[in-house]
Amino acid sequence: MCLVYILMHRALSIPEVLQLVLSSDISQETIRNAALTCSLWKDPALDRLWKELDSVFPLVWVLIPLELEATTKAPFPHPGALKRFEAYGRRIRKLVFDISPDTGDTVGLKAFQTIAQVRRPDKDLLPNLRKFTYNARRLPSADALSPFLIFLGNSIVELELLEIISMAVPDFLEHLAQGLPQVQWVRIEGTSRSYASSSTLASSLIQLGKLRHLEVLPIPLTPAVWNEMAQHPSLISAELTLSGNSPDAIGFQPRTFAQLEYLAIQANFDLICGLFQSQNDLPTLTRINLRGHIIEHERSDFYRLCNLLPRKLPHLASVVLRCRTMTLSENEPLKLEDFRPLLQCGKLQKFLLEHPCGVSVTSGEVGELLDAWPRIETLGLQYAKFGRLTSGVIYSLKWSPPTLPLDILNTVAEKAPKIKGLSLVLDATTPIDTTPSTHQQQFACLQELEVTLSTVGQPKNVASYLAQCSKKRFSLKYLHPQKVQEGVMQIVKGEKKKWDKVMDYLGLLFDQKEILEQEFKLRMIEERAKIIQELSRVAAPISSMS
């Protein structure tokens, strides 16, 4: 017993082993108890406990005792508290700062005044902070900016700004280059679009030399921002909003990007077409995510965009197109002819198409898509979320029932057995032959199957069929638009219960399959041992005679 204790103690004294234990899925209380166990565990446990904070208040309370919160003046901490603050502060790698409506009742802005007083001008407050999330809660710039500046430092590589009002965005952008010289990932989420911030963003991009990912939806994409993105030496992904007149009329010039690989734009499709039409070929751009409105009943702009993409982006590997409609008469789902030019993108690995009325394709057309895209790993043809008018009335869109039969999975598994993600609208009411076939093709690495607004006949048979289609366990998800018409709600609720049963049956089938495989392996090991033993018994007299 003593020997076991000694060996356990020696093992847990190894830093790598201790870090592995603390990084597992254990509660904060358990980590705190580990920090109080012994001096050997103290620092590793505290590092884990303070590594990620979803609130700034535990850090503030190190400086300001709880009984001083009600004081009218900002309390100044004693030297011992400053040392504790530095000891805990250097452990933080991720911090979420949220100026919630309850902040004034908790510690008040005087707490942040205290932090500003103790911060050394030549030293970062949190020297090892890597990711900083700041929620301004739509406060004016004068109130929201000062707490933000306190935590800026050279170590921050990821920055997330949430609920920034349009008037405050330029003020925040002006401090990025000076306060965050090492930042590589920036995301800004605002309440409205600000054209004034576009010029500030253009000048900030010049100074943010190490920036790689930019996501600023409240800042419109202007020619100035487009030019700086093209000249940036390290920017590889950007997500922006395009609005206004046609890009051809507001000065977008052809540019060649040095590193840009991913581009996400939210705009009307006619504006997106104008942007790509004005550009030369963009060989580095391999992934796009376009979310736009179809404002013409003929859908000519959407078809024009699908015709432009293969010509302007010759190396496309990922295409995500999310369509929205602004006309109440738009009741027809998308068809293959609406996006047929994309079949020219032979290097596609991911294709996701969403429309409020769905995507209507036949089994043969799905096979045509898979033949055109031999490298496809993720395929999705889905409904988009239903929207509302400003008056709150739901769009009067006609719900199209699913047309693809469940056995389309056989076609997909035969033509793309290595596909990982599949999102289709399937009809599972037709009778299914659940008898295993010796020639049935199976998915080798399917990870996720999504089903939207589909009907289910017999959940047990559907689960058995799905289990036969894949060699390993996969995630089955049932999706539906978040906002749907009242007439469809009853269908959605009823089908969700049926697909939940399919998921339960599917889990049981895979569990039974694993149990049978384990039993088979054990039986084979036993039989092998018996054969070896019998061979040894027969070979023993022969070897003695020789």
Side-chain angles (χ1 to χ4, degrees), residues 521-539:
K521 290 179 181 179
L522 291 176
R523 183 66 181 271
M524 291 298 296
I525 293 174
E526 293 176 356
E527 292 295 332
R528 184 171 179 271
K530 290 181 180 180
I531 293 173
I532 293 175
Q533 185 178 4
E534 183 67 20
L535 288 175
S536 300
R537 185 181 65 81
V538 174

Side-chain angles (χ1 to χ4, degrees), residues 258-437:
Q259 302 287 341
L260 192 66
E261 299 176 1
Y262 172 77
L263 179 63
I265 299 179
Q266 179 176 331
N268 292 339
F269 280 123
D270 61 335
L271 300 181
I272 300 176
C273 287
L275 174 63
F276 283 110
Q277 184 68 45
S278 66
Q279 299 302 305
N280 297 325
D281 293 348
L282 303 172
T284 62
L285 196 58
T286 59
R287 296 177 293 126
I288 59 170
N289 187 331
L290 306 178
R291 178 179 178 182
H293 288 90
I294 299 177
I295 59 177
E296 296 183 15
H297 182 68
E298 294 81 5
R299 308 180 183 183
S300 58
D301 289 324
F302 180 77
Y303 180 83
R304 179 189 170 200
L305 175 63
C306 294
N307 195 28
L308 279 171
L309 293 180
R311 295 192 288 110
K312 296 292 185 177
L313 286 68
H315 302 296
L316 263 181
S318 174
V319 175
V320 178
L321 299 175
R322 292 184 168 92
C323 304
R324 302 293 183 269
T325 180
M326 299 177 65
T327 58
L328 297 180
S329 60
E330 186 72 41
N331 286 326
E332 295 295 328
L334 287 177
K335 298 180 180 179
L336 178 61
E337 297 304 319
D338 295 321
F339 59 95
R340 180 175 288 277
L342 292 178
L343 296 182
Q344 304 173 35
C345 301
K347 299 180 181 180
L348 269 189
Q349 299 177 8
K350 177 180 179 179
F351 181 72
L352 176 61
L353 178 60
E354 294 182 358
H355 187 271
C357 297
V359 183
S360 178
V361 291
T362 64
S363 299
E365 289 173 339
V366 172
E368 189 176 352
L369 293 177
L370 298 175
D371 290 336
W373 303 327
R375 303 182 185 179
I376 197 73
E377 295 181 354
T378 303
L379 176 64
L381 305 173
Q382 282 287 356
Y383 291 87
K385 298 177 182 177
F386 282 64
R388 293 175 180 266
L389 300 174
T390 54
S391 60
V393 179
I394 300 175
Y395 286 147
S396 179
L397 297 171
K398 181 178 66 176
W399 172 64
S400 302
T403 56
L404 285 174
L406 191 62
D407 59 10
I408 186 63
L409 298 179
N410 287 335
T411 303
V412 180
E414 179 181 355
K415 294 181 176 292
K418 295 184 179 181
I419 200 167
K420 297 180 180 179
L422 191 59
S423 180
L424 298 174
V425 181
L426 304 176
D427 181 7
T429 56
T430 56
I432 302 171
D433 183 11
T434 57
T435 304
S437 174

Side-chain angles (χ1 to χ4, degrees), residues 428-470:
T429 56
T430 56
I432 302 171
D433 183 11
T434 57
T435 304
S437 174
T438 56
H439 302 287
Q440 182 178 3
Q441 185 70 40
Q442 289 184 308
F443 293 106
C445 48
L446 184 65
Q447 298 177 356
E448 185 175 272
L449 173 64
E450 295 181 351
V451 182
T452 300
L453 282 180
S454 176
T455 53
V456 183
Q458 297 178 341
K460 286 186 177 181
N461 291 345
V462 171
S464 300
Y465 179 80
L466 295 179
Q468 295 174 15
C469 291
S470 179

